[in-house]
Amino acid sequence: MHKIIKIALLVVGLIGALLWFMLPEREMPASEAVNSGAMNGMFIITYILLAFAVVASLIFTLKNLFSNPAGLKKTLMVLGGFVVVVIIAYVLASGTDVSVEEMASRGIETSESTIKKIGMGINVFFILTLIAVGSLIVPAVKNMFSK
């Protein structure tokens, strides 16, 4: 298996090097360079390698997650906490942060529910930031007073 992966990576590397030398010249207009076959080939190789990396990392993560029951329990608790944070953020979002009419006058069609979802995202960011900062400050203060 290790030899097959090495050979596949060597082939992909050679194809990438060949496509690199086939890229359009610097003087070519960008509108024409985008339609270059070499450029499209490099993008295809990038997407294939990215998909392979994502699938491999998901497989190994899930394999390790399900092989360790304590880790699975901790992961489910963290996911549950994240769902609670999202629900709290959705409840706190008012949906009236931006005027729907003003957005429509600028050519952006939106609704109150879309604005509420955006507010929820901002609230999730702030809540998670507070949790992260708190998780850094609380142990430092405990260490400072325990000595």
Side-chain angles (χ1 to χ4, degrees), residues 68-109:
N68 184 4
L72 180 61
K73 180 180 176 185
K74 193 172 191 178
T75 302
L76 290 175
M77 288 177 59
V78 168
L79 284 175
F82 183 72
V83 169
V84 168
V85 167
V86 169
I87 290 170
I88 291 171
Y90 187 77
V91 169
L92 292 176
S94 65
T96 59
D97 301 333
V98 180
S99 170
V100 176
E101 293 81 23
E102 184 178 335
M103 296 296 282
S105 69
R106 294 183 182 197
I108 303 171
E109 294 299 323

Side-chain angles (χ1 to χ4, degrees), residues 5 9 12-14 24-25 27 30 36 44 53 55 72 76 88 92 94-95 97 108-109 111 121 133 144 147:
I5 292 175
L9 290 175
V12 169
L14 289 174
E25 296 295 323
E27 293 81 28
S36 166
I44 289 170
V55 168
L72 180 61
L76 290 175
I88 291 171
L92 292 176
S94 65
D97 301 333
I108 303 171
E109 294 299 323
S111 65
V133 170
M144 194 168 56
K147 290 184 179 182

